[in-house]
Amino acid sequence: MDEDMGEAAARVRPGTRPVRTFGALTAGALLAAGAAWLVRGIWEIRLAAAGEPASGPPDQGDGLHRPLNGLEDSYHVVTTVGGGVAFVCALLFLAWLWRVRDNARMLSGRTPKYLGIWVYLGWIVPVVNLWFPRGIVADAFRATAPERRLPRSVNVWWALWLAGMFGGAGIVSRDSPDETIARAYHGIWPLLAADAAVVGAAVAGAVAVRAVSAAQVERIRQAREEDARQGLAGVAGG
């Protein structure tokens, strides 16, 4: 009921936009991305268990590639689908992040700590990508609910994201699927560690998105009630 009131408030509070449904979609996309990376890890375990064929790795060097076997070919499918899910997740997350940032600005009446361009560039510019994305989420939450502590899930999400990013085989790995297959044959543990970090980051990120969204829904509801009380006071005074 309170969430429905918050959604209604977003329609009447100038500048704020509904976040409950959008937050749920974003959290669901994060969980889907985590599931895709879990499947990827399972396939890598299957590759390691099968062992490298006598013909060697798929990438033979000097631009030569041998034909893939059935398991290797299916790994390509898994990584392609996972990449598509991750891309959709990224689009939803960026749109959600922009929305909660703008809502926080309207609800608090103060300028956000980070310029809007960093919602996008903060992920790819070296050095600042170590803290800007987390900072934007944290700033939106604190502007929305200054009396509350930052949800622990935000820090867990970011720590695991960095672990996956610097693991050398996580969601931002530059390795091709064939190179990853070769790594699975010769050293699976770094791959699995990076996959685990990505899956954990996705789950923690989903929890963080829901927590920040719920805080904004509640704050918008309160803002609506404040507006209603002021309106009644104005009528009574008139």
Side-chain angles (χ1 to χ4, degrees), residues 1-21 99-108 140 143-145 147-148 212-229:
M1 182 63 179
D2 285 350
E3 289 183 341
D4 291 339
M5 291 177 65
E7 292 295 289
R11 290 192 290 270
V12 299
R13 188 76 171 186
T16 59
R17 293 182 288 175
V19 294
R20 180 173 63 89
T21 300
R99 180 169 297 216
V100 295
R101 176 187 175 276
D102 278 358
N103 279 354
R105 175 174 57 84
M106 297 305 301
L107 291 167
S108 66
T144 299
E147 75 287 352
R148 294 168 57 181
V212 175
S213 298
Q216 286 207 341
V217 167
E218 175 63 17
R219 181 66 183 89
I220 291 171
R221 181 189 65 81
Q222 293 173 355
R224 183 191 184 209
E225 292 177 349
E226 291 170 5
D227 289 348
R229 283 195 296 268

Side-chain angles (χ1 to χ4, degrees), residues 119-204:
V119 171
Y120 306 107
L121 294 185
W123 299 89
I124 58 177
V125 176
V127 181
V128 302
N129 64 354
L130 299 179
W131 76 88
F132 270 32
R134 176 205 170 275
I136 295 170
V137 175
D139 185 56
F141 181 85
R142 288 168 178 150
T144 299
E147 75 287 352
R148 294 168 57 181
R149 295 183 62 181
L150 182 70
R152 186 175 300 175
S153 56
V154 173
N155 290 328
V156 173
W157 155 67
W158 191 243
L160 289 172
W161 169 264
L162 292 179
M165 183 170 67
F166 288 108
I171 198 167
V172 293
S173 173
R174 295 181 181 179
D175 287 352
S176 69
D178 285 349
E179 291 171 328
T180 305
I181 288 170
R183 294 184 66 176
Y185 286 142
H186 297 286
I188 185 135
W189 293 111
L191 287 175
L192 294 183
D195 290 339
V198 172
V199 172
V203 174

Side-chain angles (χ1 to χ4, degrees), residues 48-130:
E52 185 176 78
S55 53
D59 187 349
Q60 303 280 294
D62 297 324
L64 299 176
H65 290 76
R66 65 165 171 78
L68 299 177
N69 61 36
L71 183 57
E72 293 167 344
D73 195 48
S74 65
Y75 182 74
H76 274 258
V77 175
V78 166
T79 56
T80 298
V81 172
V85 173
F87 179 72
V88 172
C89 177
L91 292 180
L92 283 171
F93 189 90
L94 290 175
W96 170 83
L97 188 56
W98 189 274
R99 180 169 297 216
V100 295
R101 176 187 175 276
D102 278 358
N103 279 354
R105 175 174 57 84
M106 297 305 301
L107 291 167
S108 66
R110 69 172 178 81
T111 302
K113 183 177 179 180
Y114 300 89
L115 294 175
I117 191 64
W118 291 116
V119 171
Y120 306 107
L121 294 185
W123 299 89
I124 58 177
V125 176
V127 181
V128 302
N129 64 354
L130 299 179

